[in-house]
């Protein structure tokens, strides 16, 4: 297995991107609590991440609403199911933890969904920032609520931005 990484500047700070072979396995915010230990990053290989960097630049410029990158998830079966559901949440949309739990077939799993969401190893690309509280409130986010707010505002439909009073 060939693990390698790069660090990409973004409007939300440095992003550490990790790949194993040809699959993206991690995208971590600077200072993220659940960040993998440095030993799992492998050597720095900036040239190997041109497509990832390009797609992230397009996303932050408001030109890309969907990522097209090969992903591999490292987590238990439940976590992987949650992350796949999160990956299906459309640009500019949100879902609550409870809604995701119901989609998994058990409304009582909302806390477990929250835990799995917090362990999402591929931030932004697997858009856990689109998961909110039942009342639409911004809840915990490994990258911090300021980053979550920034990403949600970036994805806000133009009509909502124009109608906003603040």
């Amino acid at each position: 297995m060939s693990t390698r990484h790069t660090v990409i500047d973004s409007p939300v700070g440095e992003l550490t991107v990790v790949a194993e072979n040809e699959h993206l396995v991690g995208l971590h915010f600077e200072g993220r609590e659940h960040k993998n230990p440095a030993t799992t990053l492998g050597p720095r290989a900036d040239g190997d991440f041109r497509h990832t960097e390009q797609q992230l630049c397009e996303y932050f410029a408001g030109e890309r609403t969907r990522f097209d990158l090969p992903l591999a998830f490292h987590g238990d079966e439940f976590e992987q199911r949650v992350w796949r559901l999160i990956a299906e949440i459309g640009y500019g949309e949100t879902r609550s933890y409870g809604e995701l739990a119901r989609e998994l077939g058990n409304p009582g799993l909302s806390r477990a969904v929250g835990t799995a969401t917090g362990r999402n190893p591929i931030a932004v690309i697997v858009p856990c920032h689109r998961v909110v509280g039942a009342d639409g409130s911004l809840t915990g986010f490994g990258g911090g609520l300021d980053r979550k707010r920034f990403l949600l505002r970036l994805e806000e439909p133009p009509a909502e931005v124009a109608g906003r009073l603040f």
Side-chain angles (χ1 to χ4, degrees):
M1 185 172 3
S2 173
T3 304
R4 60 212 180 282
H5 79 283
T6 193
V7 177
I8 298 171
D9 285 326
S10 82
V12 291
E14 289 185 343
L15 302 173
T16 299
V17 184
V18 184
E20 287 180 359
N21 300 321
E22 302 306 315
H23 293 89
L24 191 67
V25 296
L27 191 149
H28 308 288
F29 293 108
E30 184 177 13
R32 182 173 182 220
E33 290 179 27
H34 297 292
K35 186 175 181 178
N36 292 336
T39 56
T40 64
L41 299 178
R44 188 157 174 168
D46 296 336
D48 292 354
F49 293 89
R50 282 181 296 242
H51 294 295
T52 303
E53 187 169 9
Q54 177 186 352
Q55 289 191 28
L56 285 166
C57 286
E58 291 168 356
Y59 168 78
F60 285 116
E63 300 165 357
R64 175 173 288 276
T65 60
R66 191 166 195 76
F67 291 95
D68 181 26
L69 298 164
L71 307 178
F73 296 116
H74 294 294
D76 64 37
E77 182 181 331
F78 180 77
E79 289 171 332
Q80 290 186 39
R81 288 177 59 206
V82 170
W83 299 334
R84 283 187 179 90
L85 275 178
I86 292 170
E88 294 173 9
I89 301 171
Y91 184 92
E93 298 177 6
T94 59
R95 297 281 185 288
S96 72
Y97 300 99
E99 288 172 317
L100 293 175
R102 283 189 292 281
E103 287 183 50
L104 291 168
N106 184 343
L109 292 175
S110 59
R111 283 184 183 243
V113 167
T115 299
T117 301
R119 292 183 180 153
N120 171 23
I122 310 174
V124 181
I125 293 169
V126 176
C128 53
H129 60 277
R130 296 177 188 160
V131 183
V132 298
D135 61 358
S137 62
L138 300 187
T139 57
F141 183 62
L145 292 181
D146 287 341
R147 285 185 178 124
K148 184 171 188 162
R149 189 174 293 108
F150 176 90
L151 295 169
L152 290 171
R153 283 190 176 151
L154 174 71
E155 298 180 8
E156 213 168 23
E160 288 184 30
V161 172
R164 194 180 326 131
L165 297 176
F166 58 95

